[in-house]
Amino acid sequence: MTDAVRDVVVVGAGGMGRAWMDVVQARDGVRPSAVVDLDVSAARRAATERGWDVPVFSDVAAALREAPADLLLNVTVPEAHRAVSDAALRAGVPVLSEKPVTPTVADAMWLSALSVSRGVLLATSQSRRHSSGISAFRDAVRDLGGAGQLETQFFQNPRFGGFRDEMPSPLLVDMAIHQFDQARFLLGSEPVSVYCEEFSPSWSWYRGAAAAQAIFRFSDGSRFGYAGSWCADGLTTSWNGSWRASAPDGSATWDGETAVRVQGQDGPERDVPMGEGSEGLDAALTEFLTALDGGEAPSGEIRSNIWSLAMVEAAGESAATGSRVDLDAVFARAGAAALAEAQATGETAIIDQLREWAGGAPR
Ligand SMILES: NC(=O)c1ccc[n+]([C@@H]2O[C@H](COP(=O)([O-])OP(=O)(O)OC[C@H]3O[C@@H](n4cnc5c(N)ncnc54)[C@H](O)[C@@H]3O)[C@@H](O)[C@H]2O)c1
């Protein structure tokens, strides 16, 4: 890593923005240069609580004009993600965004084209793919010859109150992207199609459907089954879900926290030891800084992460139509929508980039 200290602009000073500020505070090589929130008093409070002597802004464009910025953390609400990331990319500032990178695949196609055409990095932090548990589980499954069948159960019962209780599809839209992204990480393959049903158990306290079951087919022929609920009292799983993989040389399970177990055809069941290293947000930031130093692209680089978002959109479409949905069709429609928008605004570089992808996923 470079010895230079990088200036970080944090945009969004809500619950997650504060968690990111603590990550910045705790590590060498980065320092805060500004905090931005529509509610500028929230930005000031969050900075003051951490003893940060930095300017605060209500507008990201003003912050980018006035404060030094080597990278921007986009921790705003999903609806603001595209506008905030767009402003930073146009200012030449790399962006590490909270999930979902944008609310729709069409918006993510647009940002992918902007990022690639400008040569400025945009990545999503999917914190749940960074843990010693999931790494140990992935390695165990690989050692067994790779999963042909992967299953997760996600059963939780949070009483959030607020927007999640009122929104349509709270589980699929706000939470399932974590397990979908984890499945991509574990299988090392990309999804091809999905059949999904979402529904409201009679006892659900959410306005929207808080339970879903989905079957994804992946390009290596494997299947990923997802069963989830956000209104499941009792015997809850971990927030990572509870996992099982079936592979040529045996099976592996992971409780989503620390216990990874494997068993071959004849051998005894055994526990797999966990590794060590940075996890969660800190690990996502490490990947991002490594890329800024000229290293490997982060695993959440937008052209890769867009597949996790497309899984959510395809699952939602399948639930709405009752049909199996191909990811190719999701990308074709999203690419056409992004292209139409670019043509309407006359953004030549974005038009050219989207045409190069020819209606498929960004490459
Ligand atoms: N990785 C995880 O496990 C995890 C957990 C929780 C939230 N998140 C994600 O983090 C993001 C933020 O969630 P949160 O719980 O902190 O939400 P929040 O509502 O607590 O905070 C969001 C903040 O963004 C500010 N904001 C909105 N639009 C803005 C704009 N245009 N410019 C500047 N500030 C703006 C709001 O005023 C608010 O203070 C979301 O994308 C959410 O999905 C991820």
Side-chain angles (χ1 to χ4, degrees):
M1 288 222 174
T2 173
D3 292 336
V5 178
R6 289 198 160 90
D7 287 306
V8 182
V9 174
V10 181
V11 189
M16 207 59 190
R18 287 159 172 266
W20 272 107
M21 290 169 78
D22 292 338
V23 170
V24 170
Q25 176 105 323
R27 65 182 292 159
D28 298 332
V30 288
R31 69 180 163 222
S33 64
V35 180
V36 186
D37 199 292
L38 291 179
D39 177 357
V40 77
S41 64
R44 186 169 294 112
R45 222 172 23 253
T48 305
E49 280 166 12
R50 287 163 183 77
W52 290 4
D53 182 18
V54 297
V56 295
F57 300 87
S58 61
D59 171 38
V60 67
L64 290 167
R65 272 196 310 273
E66 293 176 36
D70 295 310
L71 68 128
L72 180 143
L73 294 174
N74 186 351
V75 207
T76 57
V77 293
E79 293 67 31
H81 282 181
R82 175 173 160 181
V84 168
S85 294
D86 185 295
L89 295 175
R90 287 179 198 276
V93 177
V95 179
L96 181 56
S97 171
E98 256 306 332
K99 61 79 186 156
V101 67
T102 54
T104 68
V105 179
D107 285 340
M109 290 290 293
W110 170 281
L111 281 186
S112 301
L114 181 62
S115 164
V116 172
S117 64
R118 300 255 167 165
V120 184
L121 179 63
L122 168 61
T124 311
S125 164
Q126 292 280 173
S127 52
R128 292 183 183 278
R129 65 161 53 207
H130 304 291
S131 73
S132 49
I134 197 168
S135 296
F137 182 54
R138 181 192 59 181
D139 293 348
V141 173
R142 277 187 187 162
D143 288 348
L144 294 168
Q149 201 173 353
L150 180 68
E151 296 282 333
T152 193
Q153 296 187 330
F154 173 89
F155 287 85
Q156 274 287 344
N157 58 349
R159 264 75 174 177
F160 292 116
F163 74 94
R164 291 185 185 85
D165 285 10
E166 302 301 323
M167 69 190 278
S169 307
L171 180 77
L172 274 185
V173 169
D174 199 54
M175 186 65 213
I177 194 167
H178 284 297
Q179 279 69 50
F180 294 177
D181 183 70
Q182 287 171 308
R184 290 181 52 234
F185 173 79
L186 290 164
L187 292 169
S189 176
E190 298 300 5
V192 173
S193 65
V194 60
Y195 176 74
C196 178
E197 294 194 3
E198 64 168 354
F199 51 102
S200 269
S202 60
W203 59 88
S204 174
W205 50 91
Y206 298 80
R207 187 180 296 272
Q213 292 186 250
I215 306 166
F216 289 91
R217 191 157 56 85
F218 274 69
S219 59
D220 64 358
S222 58
R223 301 293 194 278
F224 164 55
Y226 168 87
S229 171
W230 245 354
C231 57
D233 283 332
L235 300 177
T236 53
T237 65
S238 81
W239 276 81
N240 280 321
S242 174
W243 293 79
R244 180 185 180 99
S246 177
D249 297 332
S251 296
T253 60
W254 176 44
D255 67 356
E257 285 169 350
T258 53
V260 175
R261 291 184 74 71
V262 297
Q263 188 174 32
Q265 189 186 357
D266 300 317
E269 272 186 50
R270 60 183 175 83
D271 288 324
V272 174
M274 302 286 117
E276 285 179 4
S278 79
E279 303 210 344
L281 307 186
D282 191 54
L285 182 56
T286 300
E287 276 194 341
F288 194 78
L289 294 173
T290 300
L292 293 187
D293 284 339
E296 210 179 310
S299 62
E301 199 271 337
I302 188 165
R303 286 169 291 173
S304 170
N305 181 258
I306 198 170
W307 285 90
S308 301
L309 183 65
M311 288 172 81
V312 174
E313 200 162 295
E317 186 183 334
S318 173
T321 59
S323 305
R324 188 163 80 178
V325 171
D326 289 335
L327 276 278
D328 277 353
V330 171
F331 282 118
R333 196 176 51 234
L339 183 60
E341 187 185 340
Q343 283 165 335
T345 55
E347 298 228 37
T348 320
I350 294 183
I351 294 170
D352 291 347
Q353 189 55 65
L354 288 166
R355 283 206 174 120
E356 197 178 313
W357 293 331
R363 299 179 300 276

